[in-house]
Amino acid sequence: MFFASDNWAGAHPAINERLSKESTRFAAAYGTSELDRSIEQRFNEIFEKEVAVFFVATGTAANSLSLASIARPGGLTFCHTEAHVIEDECGAPDFFSGMRMVGVEGPAGKMLPENLLERIARYPQDAVHHGRAAAVTMTQATEVGTIYTLDEIDTISKIAKQNGLPLHMDGARFANALVSLGCTPAEMTWKRGVDVLSFGGTKNGCWCAEAIVFFDPQLAKDFAFLRKRTAQLFSKSRFIAAQFEAYLQDDLWLGLAKHANTMADRLRTGFSSLNSARLAWPTEANEVFAVLPKASAKAAAEQGAKFYDWLEPRDMPEKVGKDEALIRMVTSFATTEEDVDQFLSICASA
């Protein structure tokens, strides 16, 4: 019953098999192998246009270097107040980009357009002492398990473009959001005005595979130097490419995300049927937030369940009682129906 994070799951067998195969051969280094080039072409096919793709090792690197590539001196990046870039990356986006993250309020983990407009207006381009607006970043799916609709992405994008700001998307759970919306990768990104994407694979069955995707290759003209200078150019980068080859083949990545989302749906349905527990708020991807008696949470933990206690958000619809616990549960490609049902059974018994 491993629900702490999709990062806890291992690698999918197809990805392990492809890595094993790659380990027995020689190939050109530093991203110049035929495999590296073929996967770059595969990204063009997935996104239905020519893109510039750069492999990195972690989501933090992907986010930080994406923002560094569009940074301005004295720049400020606008993100949701609970976004990963401002809450969970130890200041790495600020450090590598030289820009400060500015939180924008909004319910359900999503920036409200009016709040974004108000924040941007505080930092005009000539505000030397306070810094100037430089970029917007949004998380898809969000840190609280919700998803920006295509119309919501459109709205955020238009605000960014009206103010001359590039738009970055943190897609650590990109595949989970994509299958939930039932759209194409192009429809959720550049067709909505996204300029740069952190394309995550690690949370969805890869071992260590993240990519930075520029939808205008001109934006990436200096990025190779930035990646090298920040120690993210792997000599054996083909091992990241090999993971992506298996990940993208026959839409494995979408199947894995769909399974994770389906297991989250099973959890959501189960919690909704328990008299002693409830969903903290509606979620749409592979994260579930639930309120249950502390005794139930303790019993589940004692029987081996792994999950995280969660801090109560300010805009939570229904407050947590003194004898209750708010927990976060994340499903993955490796979550089984038995895992879900066993956890729900423990909660019901307790």
Side-chain angles (χ1 to χ4, degrees), residues 295-317:
S296 296
K298 181 180 179 182
E302 288 175 346
Q303 295 185 54
K306 304 296 181 184
F307 52 84
Y308 280 135
D309 294 323
W310 207 253
L311 293 176
E312 186 176 343
R314 288 192 296 273
D315 59 359
M316 187 169 171

Side-chain angles (χ1 to χ4, degrees), residues 274-350:
L274 293 177
N275 293 328
S276 60
R278 65 184 184 276
L279 294 174
W281 54 80
T283 56
E284 302 150 289
N286 63 320
E287 291 181 277
V288 178
F289 295 81
V291 178
L292 63 164
K294 290 181 178 178
S296 296
K298 181 180 179 182
E302 288 175 346
Q303 295 185 54
K306 304 296 181 184
F307 52 84
Y308 280 135
D309 294 323
W310 207 253
L311 293 176
E312 186 176 343
R314 288 192 296 273
D315 59 359
M316 187 169 171
E318 186 178 346
K319 299 302 180 184
V320 179
K322 63 181 179 64
D323 294 322
E324 294 180 319
L326 169 62
I327 66 170
R328 186 195 76 164
M329 307 181 70
V330 187
T331 53
S332 73
F333 78 93
T335 303
T336 66
E337 292 182 356
E338 290 74 20
D339 294 333
V340 173
D341 294 345
Q342 183 181 357
F343 186 91
L344 293 171
S345 177
I346 293 170
C347 291
S349 298

Side-chain angles (χ1 to χ4, degrees), residues 37-78:
R37 299 305 187 206
S38 70
I39 301 306
E40 290 171 6
Q41 178 59 37
R42 183 76 178 97
F43 272 89
N44 291 342
E45 296 167 3
I46 287 171
F47 287 101
E48 304 172 43
K49 74 185 309 263
E50 182 182 353
V51 298
V53 182
F54 297 86
F55 304 144
V56 295
T58 68
T60 296
N63 288 337
S64 300
L65 299 190
S66 293
L67 294 174
S69 72
I70 53 178
R72 301 177 186 175
L76 302 167
T77 298
F78 301 94

Side-chain angles (χ1 to χ4, degrees), residues 217-251:
Q218 276 300 108
L219 272 178
K221 59 186 176 63
D222 295 324
F223 188 80
F225 296 93
L226 177 61
R227 182 176 61 166
K228 175 65 174 179
R229 192 173 63 181
T230 54
Q232 283 293 314
L233 176 58
F234 286 77
S235 59
K236 297 183 181 180
S237 69
R238 72 182 192 276
F239 284 96
I240 297 180
Q243 292 174 73
F244 276 131
E245 183 179 60
Y247 184 65
L248 301 173
Q249 186 171 356
D250 299 325
D251 289 337

